[in-house]
Amino acid sequence: MALTPVMATSFWVFRAKHPRASLRQWLGQSMQSPTAWASRLFFYNITAHFLKDFMQGLEPMLVAHHVFCIAILFLQAYVIVDGANSCLAGCAAFELGSAAYNLIKLYPGCESFVTIYVVVMTISNVLAVWCYWEWVKLPDHPKSVDVFATMVTLTLAIMRQKVALETYL
């Protein structure tokens, strides 16, 4: 859960340097920008978050998921560059839903946590899709990258929402 305060710090640092800047401008910022140090911190934090899970031993599907997520983060940070905060904020939103999922796994049978899980998962999926939409609207992305990002983001959001609704309601 340390991921959310790091993202908020990134936005506050950006706004301190650019007081008239909008959320949309922050979402489009490159991680190469001098004011993006908090975004780079978030990038390293979320990458470490995925890497630490390998120490616990993961099922093959989760290994594939983590490798894929790490690859997407590195592509965004070092190849695509612009819109890094949109990608990172989308990851943070997805991780919020995952945190809620962990609640119901840690406390099976607790109806309150099931409700919290479904609500938080829904909000996190909506936020992640919104972050993706802000990212895809940025100029200078090759069309193939936009199509790939659309498939990945929407597939993840739909699958996660489907599991939440079908399994726990």
Side-chain angles (χ1 to χ4, degrees), residues 1-66:
M1 292 306 295
L3 301 175
T4 304
V6 174
M7 278 313 292
T9 302
S10 173
F11 179 66
W12 292 327
V13 168
F14 178 76
R15 285 299 301 264
K17 291 286 186 182
H18 310 284
R20 295 183 178 262
S22 67
L23 176 62
R24 183 165 284 138
Q25 289 169 315
W26 173 76
L27 288 170
Q29 182 185 34
S30 164
M31 279 197 348
Q32 311 306 321
S33 167
T35 59
W37 64 266
S39 296
R40 289 188 294 275
L41 175 64
F42 177 81
F43 165 77
Y44 296 124
N45 188 312
I46 197 165
T47 302
H49 172 76
F50 285 122
L51 290 173
K52 74 152 176 56
D53 289 347
F54 288 107
M55 303 300 183
Q56 301 167 13
L58 298 171
E59 297 173 16
M61 187 60 114
L62 280 175
V63 169
H65 166 80
H66 279 52

Short mmCIF file of all heavy atoms in Angstrom, two decimals, residues 1-66:
data_model
loop_
_atom_site.label_atom_id
_atom_site.label_comp_id
_atom_site.label_asym_id
_atom_site.label_seq_id
_atom_site.Cartn_x
_atom_site.Cartn_y
_atom_site.Cartn_z
N MET A 1 0.82 -1.19 0.00
CA MET A 1 0.00 0.00 0.00
C MET A 1 0.86 1.26 0.00
O MET A 1 0.33 2.35 -0.09
CB MET A 1 -0.93 0.00 1.21
CG MET A 1 -2.01 -1.07 1.17
SD MET A 1 -3.03 -1.10 -0.31
CE MET A 1 -3.86 0.45 -0.19
N ALA A 2 2.17 1.11 0.10
CA ALA A 2 3.05 2.27 0.04
C ALA A 2 3.06 2.89 -1.34
O ALA A 2 3.53 4.00 -1.53
CB ALA A 2 4.47 1.86 0.42
N LEU A 3 2.49 2.19 -2.32
CA LEU A 3 2.52 2.68 -3.69
C LEU A 3 1.69 3.94 -3.87
O LEU A 3 2.10 4.86 -4.57
CB LEU A 3 2.01 1.59 -4.64
CG LEU A 3 2.79 0.27 -4.61
CD1 LEU A 3 2.11 -0.74 -5.51
CD2 LEU A 3 4.22 0.48 -5.02
N THR A 4 0.53 4.02 -3.26
CA THR A 4 -0.35 5.16 -3.44
C THR A 4 0.26 6.45 -2.92
O THR A 4 0.25 7.46 -3.63
CB THR A 4 -1.72 4.88 -2.80
OG1 THR A 4 -2.23 3.66 -3.37
CG2 THR A 4 -2.70 6.00 -3.07
N PRO A 5 0.83 6.50 -1.70
CA PRO A 5 1.46 7.75 -1.25
C PRO A 5 2.64 8.18 -2.14
O PRO A 5 2.86 9.37 -2.33
CB PRO A 5 1.95 7.42 0.17
CG PRO A 5 1.10 6.29 0.61
CD PRO A 5 0.77 5.51 -0.62
N VAL A 6 3.36 7.22 -2.70
CA VAL A 6 4.47 7.58 -3.58
C VAL A 6 3.94 8.25 -4.84
O VAL A 6 4.49 9.24 -5.32
CB VAL A 6 5.35 6.35 -3.92
CG1 VAL A 6 6.41 6.70 -4.94
CG2 VAL A 6 6.01 5.81 -2.66
N MET A 7 2.83 7.74 -5.40
CA MET A 7 2.23 8.38 -6.58
C MET A 7 1.73 9.77 -6.24
O MET A 7 1.89 10.70 -7.01
CB MET A 7 1.09 7.53 -7.14
CG MET A 7 1.50 6.39 -8.02
SD MET A 7 2.71 6.74 -9.31
CE MET A 7 1.84 7.79 -10.43
N ALA A 8 1.10 9.92 -5.08
CA ALA A 8 0.61 11.24 -4.66
C ALA A 8 1.78 12.21 -4.49
O ALA A 8 1.70 13.37 -4.92
CB ALA A 8 -0.19 11.11 -3.36
N THR A 9 2.87 11.74 -3.93
CA THR A 9 4.07 12.58 -3.79
C THR A 9 4.58 13.01 -5.16
O THR A 9 4.97 14.17 -5.35
CB THR A 9 5.17 11.82 -3.02
OG1 THR A 9 4.66 11.45 -1.75
CG2 THR A 9 6.42 12.67 -2.86
N SER A 10 4.58 12.11 -6.10
CA SER A 10 5.02 12.44 -7.46
C SER A 10 4.19 13.58 -8.03
O SER A 10 4.72 14.53 -8.62
CB SER A 10 4.90 11.20 -8.36
OG SER A 10 5.16 11.54 -9.70
N PHE A 11 2.88 13.51 -7.85
CA PHE A 11 2.00 14.58 -8.35
C PHE A 11 2.28 15.89 -7.62
O PHE A 11 2.35 16.95 -8.25
CB PHE A 11 0.53 14.17 -8.22
CG PHE A 11 -0.41 15.23 -8.71
CD1 PHE A 11 -0.45 15.57 -10.06
CD2 PHE A 11 -1.26 15.88 -7.83
CE1 PHE A 11 -1.33 16.54 -10.52
CE2 PHE A 11 -2.13 16.85 -8.28
CZ PHE A 11 -2.17 17.19 -9.63
N TRP A 12 2.43 15.85 -6.29
CA TRP A 12 2.69 17.08 -5.54
C TRP A 12 4.01 17.73 -5.95
O TRP A 12 4.10 18.94 -6.04
CB TRP A 12 2.68 16.80 -4.04
CG TRP A 12 1.34 16.44 -3.50
CD1 TRP A 12 0.12 16.90 -3.93
CD2 TRP A 12 1.07 15.53 -2.45
NE1 TRP A 12 -0.89 16.32 -3.20
CE2 TRP A 12 -0.34 15.47 -2.28
CE3 TRP A 12 1.86 14.74 -1.62
CZ2 TRP A 12 -0.95 14.68 -1.32
CZ3 TRP A 12 1.23 13.95 -0.67
CH2 TRP A 12 -0.15 13.94 -0.53
N VAL A 13 5.04 16.91 -6.17
CA VAL A 13 6.34 17.45 -6.61
C VAL A 13 6.18 18.12 -7.97
O VAL A 13 6.69 19.22 -8.21
CB VAL A 13 7.41 16.32 -6.67
CG1 VAL A 13 8.65 16.78 -7.40
CG2 VAL A 13 7.74 15.85 -5.26
N PHE A 14 5.46 17.46 -8.87
CA PHE A 14 5.22 18.03 -10.20
C PHE A 14 4.48 19.36 -10.08
O PHE A 14 4.84 20.34 -10.72
CB PHE A 14 4.42 17.03 -11.04
CG PHE A 14 4.08 17.53 -12.42
CD1 PHE A 14 5.05 17.56 -13.41
CD2 PHE A 14 2.80 17.94 -12.72
CE1 PHE A 14 4.74 18.00 -14.69
CE2 PHE A 14 2.48 18.39 -13.99
CZ PHE A 14 3.46 18.42 -14.98
N ARG A 15 3.43 19.40 -9.24
CA ARG A 15 2.65 20.63 -9.09
C ARG A 15 3.46 21.75 -8.43
O ARG A 15 3.25 22.92 -8.72
CB ARG A 15 1.39 20.36 -8.26
CG ARG A 15 0.29 19.63 -9.00
CD ARG A 15 -0.22 20.42 -10.20
NE ARG A 15 -0.75 21.71 -9.89
CZ ARG A 15 -2.02 22.00 -9.70
NH1 ARG A 15 -2.93 21.06 -9.82
NH2 ARG A 15 -2.40 23.22 -9.39
N ALA A 16 4.40 21.40 -7.55
CA ALA A 16 5.24 22.42 -6.92
C ALA A 16 6.11 23.11 -7.97
O ALA A 16 6.33 24.32 -7.91
CB ALA A 16 6.11 21.80 -5.83
N LYS A 17 6.58 22.35 -8.94
CA LYS A 17 7.42 22.92 -10.01
C LYS A 17 6.58 23.57 -11.11
O LYS A 17 7.05 24.46 -11.81
CB LYS A 17 8.30 21.83 -10.64
CG LYS A 17 9.37 21.32 -9.73
CD LYS A 17 10.47 22.34 -9.61
CE LYS A 17 11.61 21.75 -8.80
NZ LYS A 17 12.67 22.69 -8.61
N HIS A 18 5.36 23.08 -11.30
CA HIS A 18 4.46 23.57 -12.36
C HIS A 18 3.09 23.86 -11.74
O HIS A 18 2.16 23.08 -11.92
CB HIS A 18 4.31 22.52 -13.47
CG HIS A 18 5.61 22.00 -13.98
ND1 HIS A 18 6.43 22.71 -14.83
CD2 HIS A 18 6.25 20.82 -13.74
CE1 HIS A 18 7.50 21.99 -15.11
NE2 HIS A 18 7.42 20.85 -14.45
N PRO A 19 2.96 25.00 -11.02
CA PRO A 19 1.72 25.26 -10.26
C PRO A 19 0.45 25.32 -11.12
O PRO A 19 -0.64 25.05 -10.64
CB PRO A 19 1.97 26.59 -9.58
CG PRO A 19 3.38 26.95 -9.83
CD PRO A 19 3.95 26.02 -10.82
N ARG A 20 0.56 25.67 -12.37
CA ARG A 20 -0.63 25.77 -13.23
C ARG A 20 -0.87 24.50 -14.04
O ARG A 20 -1.78 24.44 -14.85
CB ARG A 20 -0.50 26.96 -14.17
CG ARG A 20 -0.49 28.27 -13.43
CD ARG A 20 -0.43 29.43 -14.41
NE ARG A 20 -0.47 30.68 -13.71
CZ ARG A 20 -1.57 31.39 -13.55
NH1 ARG A 20 -2.72 30.97 -14.04
NH2 ARG A 20 -1.53 32.54 -12.91
N ALA A 21 -0.07 23.50 -13.80
CA ALA A 21 -0.20 22.25 -14.57
C ALA A 21 -1.42 21.45 -14.10
O ALA A 21 -1.83 21.53 -12.95
CB ALA A 21 1.06 21.42 -14.43
N SER A 22 -1.95 20.68 -15.02
CA SER A 22 -3.13 19.87 -14.72
C SER A 22 -2.73 18.42 -14.42
O SER A 22 -1.59 18.01 -14.68
CB SER A 22 -4.09 19.89 -15.91
OG SER A 22 -3.49 19.21 -17.01
N LEU A 23 -3.69 17.68 -13.92
CA LEU A 23 -3.49 16.24 -13.71
C LEU A 23 -3.13 15.57 -15.04
O LEU A 23 -2.26 14.72 -15.10
CB LEU A 23 -4.75 15.63 -13.11
CG LEU A 23 -4.75 14.11 -12.91
CD1 LEU A 23 -3.66 13.70 -11.92
CD2 LEU A 23 -6.11 13.64 -12.42
N ARG A 24 -3.79 15.99 -16.11
CA ARG A 24 -3.54 15.41 -17.43
C ARG A 24 -2.08 15.65 -17.86
O ARG A 24 -1.44 14.78 -18.44
CB ARG A 24 -4.51 16.01 -18.45
CG ARG A 24 -4.37 15.41 -19.82
CD ARG A 24 -5.55 15.74 -20.69
NE ARG A 24 -6.66 14.91 -20.28
CZ ARG A 24 -7.91 15.34 -20.16
NH1 ARG A 24 -8.21 16.58 -20.42
NH2 ARG A 24 -8.87 14.52 -19.79
N GLN A 25 -1.53 16.83 -17.56
CA GLN A 25 -0.13 17.10 -17.91
C GLN A 25 0.81 16.22 -17.09
O GLN A 25 1.82 15.75 -17.60
CB GLN A 25 0.18 18.59 -17.70
CG GLN A 25 -0.48 19.46 -18.74
CD GLN A 25 -0.39 20.93 -18.38
OE1 GLN A 25 -0.63 21.32 -17.23
NE2 GLN A 25 -0.05 21.74 -19.35
N TRP A 26 0.49 16.02 -15.82
CA TRP A 26 1.31 15.14 -14.99
C TRP A 26 1.27 13.71 -15.52
O TRP A 26 2.29 13.04 -15.59
CB TRP A 26 0.84 15.19 -13.54
CG TRP A 26 1.52 14.19 -12.66
CD1 TRP A 26 2.80 14.27 -12.18
CD2 TRP A 26 0.98 12.97 -12.18
NE1 TRP A 26 3.07 13.15 -11.41
CE2 TRP A 26 1.97 12.35 -11.40
CE3 TRP A 26 -0.25 12.34 -12.32
CZ2 TRP A 26 1.77 11.13 -10.77
CZ3 TRP A 26 -0.45 11.13 -11.69
CH2 TRP A 26 0.56 10.54 -10.92
N LEU A 27 0.07 13.25 -15.90
CA LEU A 27 -0.07 11.88 -16.42
C LEU A 27 0.78 11.69 -17.68
O LEU A 27 1.27 10.59 -17.94
CB LEU A 27 -1.53 11.55 -16.70
CG LEU A 27 -2.41 11.34 -15.47
CD1 LEU A 27 -3.87 11.27 -15.87
CD2 LEU A 27 -1.99 10.10 -14.70
N GLY A 28 0.95 12.73 -18.47
CA GLY A 28 1.73 12.64 -19.71
C GLY A 28 3.22 12.85 -19.53
O GLY A 28 3.99 12.73 -20.49
N GLN A 29 3.66 13.15 -18.33
CA GLN A 29 5.07 13.44 -18.07
C GLN A 29 5.97 12.24 -18.32
O GLN A 29 5.61 11.10 -18.06
CB GLN A 29 5.24 13.92 -16.62
CG GLN A 29 6.66 14.29 -16.25
CD GLN A 29 6.80 14.64 -14.78
OE1 GLN A 29 6.13 14.06 -13.93
NE2 GLN A 29 7.68 15.56 -14.48
N SER A 30 7.15 12.52 -18.83
CA SER A 30 8.17 11.49 -19.03
C SER A 30 8.92 11.26 -17.72
O SER A 30 9.11 12.18 -16.93
CB SER A 30 9.15 11.96 -20.10
OG SER A 30 10.33 11.20 -20.06
N MET A 31 9.36 10.02 -17.51
CA MET A 31 10.17 9.75 -16.31
C MET A 31 11.57 10.32 -16.44
O MET A 31 12.32 10.36 -15.48
CB MET A 31 10.25 8.24 -16.05
CG MET A 31 9.02 7.75 -15.36
SD MET A 31 9.11 6.14 -14.55
CE MET A 31 10.55 5.37 -15.06
N GLN A 32 11.92 10.81 -17.62
CA GLN A 32 13.23 11.41 -17.82
C GLN A 32 13.27 12.86 -17.34
O GLN A 32 14.33 13.43 -17.21
CB GLN A 32 13.61 11.36 -19.31
CG GLN A 32 13.43 10.00 -19.97
CD GLN A 32 14.14 8.87 -19.25
OE1 GLN A 32 15.25 9.04 -18.76
NE2 GLN A 32 13.50 7.72 -19.17
N SER A 33 12.11 13.44 -17.07
CA SER A 33 12.02 14.82 -16.62
C SER A 33 12.69 14.97 -15.25
O SER A 33 12.56 14.10 -14.39
CB SER A 33 10.54 15.22 -16.53
OG SER A 33 10.41 16.44 -15.82
N PRO A 34 13.39 16.10 -15.03
CA PRO A 34 14.04 16.32 -13.73
C PRO A 34 13.06 16.33 -12.56
O PRO A 34 13.42 15.98 -11.45
CB PRO A 34 14.71 17.69 -13.88
CG PRO A 34 14.83 17.90 -15.34
CD PRO A 34 13.71 17.16 -15.99
N THR A 35 11.81 16.74 -12.79
CA THR A 35 10.84 16.78 -11.69
C THR A 35 10.17 15.43 -11.46
O THR A 35 9.30 15.30 -10.61
CB THR A 35 9.74 17.83 -11.96
OG1 THR A 35 9.09 17.50 -13.19
CG2 THR A 35 10.30 19.22 -12.02
N ALA A 36 10.56 14.41 -12.21
CA ALA A 36 9.91 13.10 -12.11
C ALA A 36 10.62 12.15 -11.15
O ALA A 36 10.43 10.94 -11.23
CB ALA A 36 9.80 12.48 -13.50
N TRP A 37 11.42 12.66 -10.22
CA TRP A 37 12.15 11.77 -9.32
C TRP A 37 11.19 10.89 -8.50
O TRP A 37 11.48 9.73 -8.25
CB TRP A 37 13.11 12.54 -8.40
CG TRP A 37 12.43 13.48 -7.45
CD1 TRP A 37 12.18 14.80 -7.63
CD2 TRP A 37 11.89 13.15 -6.17
NE1 TRP A 37 11.52 15.32 -6.54
CE2 TRP A 37 11.33 14.33 -5.63
CE3 TRP A 37 11.82 11.97 -5.42
CZ2 TRP A 37 10.71 14.37 -4.39
CZ3 TRP A 37 11.20 12.01 -4.18
CH2 TRP A 37 10.66 13.20 -3.67
N ALA A 38 10.05 11.46 -8.10
CA ALA A 38 9.11 10.65 -7.32
C ALA A 38 8.46 9.57 -8.20
O ALA A 38 8.16 8.48 -7.73
CB ALA A 38 8.04 11.54 -6.68
N SER A 39 8.28 9.87 -9.48
CA SER A 39 7.75 8.86 -10.40
C SER A 39 8.77 7.73 -10.58
O SER A 39 8.40 6.57 -10.64
CB SER A 39 7.43 9.48 -11.75
OG SER A 39 6.41 10.44 -11.62
N ARG A 40 10.04 8.10 -10.67
CA ARG A 40 11.08 7.07 -10.76
C ARG A 40 11.12 6.23 -9.49
O ARG A 40 11.27 5.01 -9.54
CB ARG A 40 12.44 7.70 -11.05
CG ARG A 40 12.55 8.25 -12.47
CD ARG A 40 13.96 8.70 -12.81
NE ARG A 40 14.40 9.84 -12.04
CZ ARG A 40 14.15 11.12 -12.36
NH1 ARG A 40 13.43 11.40 -13.43
NH2 ARG A 40 14.59 12.11 -11.62
N LEU A 41 10.94 6.88 -8.34
CA LEU A 41 10.87 6.16 -7.07
C LEU A 41 9.71 5.18 -7.09
O LEU A 41 9.85 4.02 -6.68
CB LEU A 41 10.72 7.15 -5.91
CG LEU A 41 10.53 6.54 -4.52
CD1 LEU A 41 11.77 5.74 -4.11
CD2 LEU A 41 10.24 7.64 -3.50
N PHE A 42 8.58 5.62 -7.60
CA PHE A 42 7.42 4.74 -7.70
C PHE A 42 7.72 3.56 -8.63
O PHE A 42 7.39 2.42 -8.33
CB PHE A 42 6.20 5.50 -8.21
CG PHE A 42 5.00 4.60 -8.39
CD1 PHE A 42 4.22 4.26 -7.31
CD2 PHE A 42 4.69 4.06 -9.62
CE1 PHE A 42 3.13 3.41 -7.46
CE2 PHE A 42 3.61 3.22 -9.79
CZ PHE A 42 2.83 2.89 -8.70
N PHE A 43 8.36 3.85 -9.76
CA PHE A 43 8.73 2.80 -10.71
C PHE A 43 9.58 1.72 -10.02
O PHE A 43 9.31 0.53 -10.14
CB PHE A 43 9.48 3.40 -11.90
CG PHE A 43 10.18 2.39 -12.76
CD1 PHE A 43 9.47 1.61 -13.66
CD2 PHE A 43 11.55 2.22 -12.65
CE1 PHE A 43 10.13 0.67 -14.45
CE2 PHE A 43 12.20 1.29 -13.43
CZ PHE A 43 11.49 0.51 -14.33
N TYR A 44 10.60 2.15 -9.29
CA TYR A 44 11.46 1.19 -8.60
C TYR A 44 10.69 0.47 -7.50
O TYR A 44 10.88 -0.73 -7.27
CB TYR A 44 12.71 1.88 -8.03
CG TYR A 44 13.59 2.44 -9.11
CD1 TYR A 44 13.94 3.77 -9.14
CD2 TYR A 44 14.06 1.63 -10.15
CE1 TYR A 44 14.74 4.29 -10.15
CE2 TYR A 44 14.85 2.13 -11.16
CZ TYR A 44 15.18 3.47 -11.15
OH TYR A 44 15.97 3.97 -12.15
N ASN A 45 9.81 1.19 -6.81
CA ASN A 45 9.01 0.60 -5.74
C ASN A 45 8.09 -0.49 -6.28
O ASN A 45 8.04 -1.59 -5.73
CB ASN A 45 8.20 1.73 -5.07
CG ASN A 45 7.48 1.29 -3.83
OD1 ASN A 45 6.81 0.27 -3.82
ND2 ASN A 45 7.60 2.08 -2.78
N ILE A 46 7.37 -0.21 -7.35
CA ILE A 46 6.42 -1.21 -7.86
C ILE A 46 7.16 -2.38 -8.50
O ILE A 46 6.73 -3.52 -8.40
CB ILE A 46 5.37 -0.60 -8.82
CG1 ILE A 46 4.19 -1.57 -8.97
CG2 ILE A 46 5.95 -0.22 -10.15
CD1 ILE A 46 2.95 -0.97 -9.57
N THR A 47 8.31 -2.11 -9.12
CA THR A 47 9.11 -3.20 -9.68
C THR A 47 9.60 -4.11 -8.56
O THR A 47 9.51 -5.34 -8.66
CB THR A 47 10.28 -2.66 -10.51
OG1 THR A 47 9.77 -1.82 -11.56
CG2 THR A 47 11.10 -3.77 -11.12
N ALA A 48 10.08 -3.52 -7.47
CA ALA A 48 10.52 -4.32 -6.31
C ALA A 48 9.35 -5.08 -5.71
O ALA A 48 9.49 -6.22 -5.26
CB ALA A 48 11.16 -3.40 -5.27
N HIS A 49 8.18 -4.45 -5.72
CA HIS A 49 6.96 -5.09 -5.22
C HIS A 49 6.69 -6.39 -5.99
O HIS A 49 6.37 -7.41 -5.39
CB HIS A 49 5.81 -4.11 -5.37
CG HIS A 49 4.46 -4.65 -5.09
ND1 HIS A 49 4.00 -4.90 -3.82
CD2 HIS A 49 3.45 -5.00 -5.92
CE1 HIS A 49 2.77 -5.37 -3.88
NE2 HIS A 49 2.42 -5.44 -5.15
N PHE A 50 6.84 -6.35 -7.31
CA PHE A 50 6.65 -7.56 -8.11
C PHE A 50 7.79 -8.57 -7.87
O PHE A 50 7.55 -9.77 -7.77
CB PHE A 50 6.56 -7.23 -9.60
CG PHE A 50 5.25 -6.63 -10.00
CD1 PHE A 50 5.19 -5.39 -10.61
CD2 PHE A 50 4.05 -7.30 -9.78
CE1 PHE A 50 3.98 -4.84 -10.98
CE2 PHE A 50 2.84 -6.76 -10.15
CZ PHE A 50 2.80 -5.53 -10.76
N LEU A 51 9.02 -8.08 -7.79
CA LEU A 51 10.17 -8.98 -7.63
C LEU A 51 10.15 -9.72 -6.29
O LEU A 51 10.52 -10.89 -6.22
CB LEU A 51 11.47 -8.20 -7.78
CG LEU A 51 11.78 -7.71 -9.19
CD1 LEU A 51 13.02 -6.80 -9.19
CD2 LEU A 51 11.98 -8.88 -10.16
N LYS A 52 9.70 -9.05 -5.23
CA LYS A 52 9.68 -9.69 -3.91
C LYS A 52 8.77 -10.91 -3.88
O LYS A 52 9.01 -11.85 -3.15
CB LYS A 52 9.27 -8.71 -2.82
CG LYS A 52 7.81 -8.38 -2.85
CD LYS A 52 7.28 -8.00 -1.50
CE LYS A 52 5.85 -7.56 -1.57
NZ LYS A 52 4.89 -8.48 -2.14
N ASP A 53 7.74 -10.90 -4.71
CA ASP A 53 6.81 -12.03 -4.74
C ASP A 53 7.48 -13.31 -5.23
O ASP A 53 7.05 -14.40 -4.87
CB ASP A 53 5.60 -11.72 -5.62
CG ASP A 53 4.68 -10.68 -4.99
OD1 ASP A 53 4.84 -10.40 -3.79
OD2 ASP A 53 3.82 -10.16 -5.71
N PHE A 54 8.54 -13.18 -6.02
CA PHE A 54 9.23 -14.37 -6.51
C PHE A 54 9.89 -15.14 -5.36
O PHE A 54 10.08 -16.35 -5.44
CB PHE A 54 10.27 -14.02 -7.57
CG PHE A 54 9.67 -13.62 -8.88
CD1 PHE A 54 9.68 -12.30 -9.29
CD2 PHE A 54 9.08 -14.57 -9.72
CE1 PHE A 54 9.12 -11.93 -10.50
CE2 PHE A 54 8.51 -14.21 -10.93
CZ PHE A 54 8.53 -12.88 -11.32
N MET A 55 10.24 -14.44 -4.28
CA MET A 55 10.88 -15.07 -3.13
C MET A 55 9.92 -16.02 -2.40
O MET A 55 10.35 -16.94 -1.74
CB MET A 55 11.37 -14.01 -2.13
CG MET A 55 12.31 -13.01 -2.71
SD MET A 55 13.78 -13.81 -3.36
CE MET A 55 14.71 -12.42 -3.87
N GLN A 56 8.63 -15.77 -2.53
CA GLN A 56 7.63 -16.56 -1.82
C GLN A 56 7.21 -17.79 -2.61
O GLN A 56 6.52 -18.65 -2.10
CB GLN A 56 6.40 -15.70 -1.55
CG GLN A 56 6.72 -14.48 -0.73
CD GLN A 56 5.57 -13.49 -0.73
OE1 GLN A 56 4.46 -13.80 -1.15
NE2 GLN A 56 5.83 -12.29 -0.27
N GLY A 57 7.61 -17.85 -3.85
CA GLY A 57 7.18 -18.95 -4.71
C GLY A 57 5.79 -18.65 -5.25
O GLY A 57 4.87 -18.38 -4.49
N LEU A 58 5.67 -18.67 -6.55
CA LEU A 58 4.41 -18.33 -7.20
C LEU A 58 3.95 -19.46 -8.10
O LEU A 58 4.77 -20.21 -8.63
CB LEU A 58 4.58 -17.06 -8.05
CG LEU A 58 4.95 -15.78 -7.34
CD1 LEU A 58 5.29 -14.69 -8.35
CD2 LEU A 58 3.81 -15.32 -6.45
N GLU A 59 2.66 -19.54 -8.31
CA GLU A 59 2.11 -20.47 -9.30
C GLU A 59 2.55 -19.99 -10.69
O GLU A 59 2.80 -18.80 -10.88
CB GLU A 59 0.58 -20.46 -9.21
CG GLU A 59 0.04 -20.94 -7.89
CD GLU A 59 -1.46 -20.75 -7.78
OE1 GLU A 59 -2.12 -20.55 -8.82
OE2 GLU A 59 -1.96 -20.81 -6.65
N PRO A 60 2.64 -20.91 -11.66
CA PRO A 60 3.11 -20.52 -13.00
C PRO A 60 2.35 -19.35 -13.63
O PRO A 60 2.96 -18.48 -14.25
CB PRO A 60 2.91 -21.80 -13.82
CG PRO A 60 3.00 -22.90 -12.81
CD PRO A 60 2.41 -22.35 -11.55
N MET A 61 1.03 -19.28 -13.42
CA MET A 61 0.25 -18.18 -14.00
C MET A 61 0.64 -16.85 -13.37
O MET A 61 0.74 -15.83 -14.06
CB MET A 61 -1.24 -18.44 -13.83
CG MET A 61 -2.09 -17.42 -14.54
SD MET A 61 -1.77 -17.43 -16.29
CE MET A 61 -3.32 -18.00 -16.89
N LEU A 62 0.92 -16.84 -12.07
CA LEU A 62 1.34 -15.62 -11.40
C LEU A 62 2.77 -15.23 -11.80
O LEU A 62 3.08 -14.05 -11.88
CB LEU A 62 1.23 -15.75 -9.88
CG LEU A 62 -0.17 -15.57 -9.32
CD1 LEU A 62 -0.19 -15.83 -7.83
CD2 LEU A 62 -0.72 -14.20 -9.63
N VAL A 63 3.62 -16.22 -12.04
CA VAL A 63 4.97 -15.92 -12.53
C VAL A 63 4.86 -15.20 -13.88
O VAL A 63 5.49 -14.16 -14.10
CB VAL A 63 5.82 -17.21 -12.67
CG1 VAL A 63 7.12 -16.93 -13.43
CG2 VAL A 63 6.13 -17.79 -11.29
N ALA A 64 4.04 -15.74 -14.77
CA ALA A 64 3.85 -15.12 -16.09
C ALA A 64 3.29 -13.71 -15.93
O ALA A 64 3.76 -12.77 -16.60
CB ALA A 64 2.91 -15.97 -16.94
N HIS A 65 2.33 -13.54 -15.04
CA HIS A 65 1.74 -12.22 -14.80
C HIS A 65 2.81 -11.23 -14.32
O HIS A 65 2.90 -10.12 -14.84
CB HIS A 65 0.62 -12.34 -13.76
CG HIS A 65 0.18 -11.03 -13.20
ND1 HIS A 65 -0.69 -10.20 -13.86
CD2 HIS A 65 0.51 -10.40 -12.04
CE1 HIS A 65 -0.89 -9.11 -13.13
NE2 HIS A 65 -0.18 -9.22 -12.02
N HIS A 66 3.60 -11.64 -13.34
CA HIS A 66 4.62 -10.74 -12.80
C HIS A 66 5.69 -10.40 -13.84
O HIS A 66 6.11 -9.24 -13.95
CB HIS A 66 5.27 -11.36 -11.55
CG HIS A 66 4.46 -11.19 -10.31
ND1 HIS A 66 3.14 -11.55 -10.23
CD2 HIS A 66 4.79 -10.71 -9.09
CE1 HIS A 66 2.68 -11.28 -9.01
NE2 HIS A 66 3.67 -10.77 -8.30
#
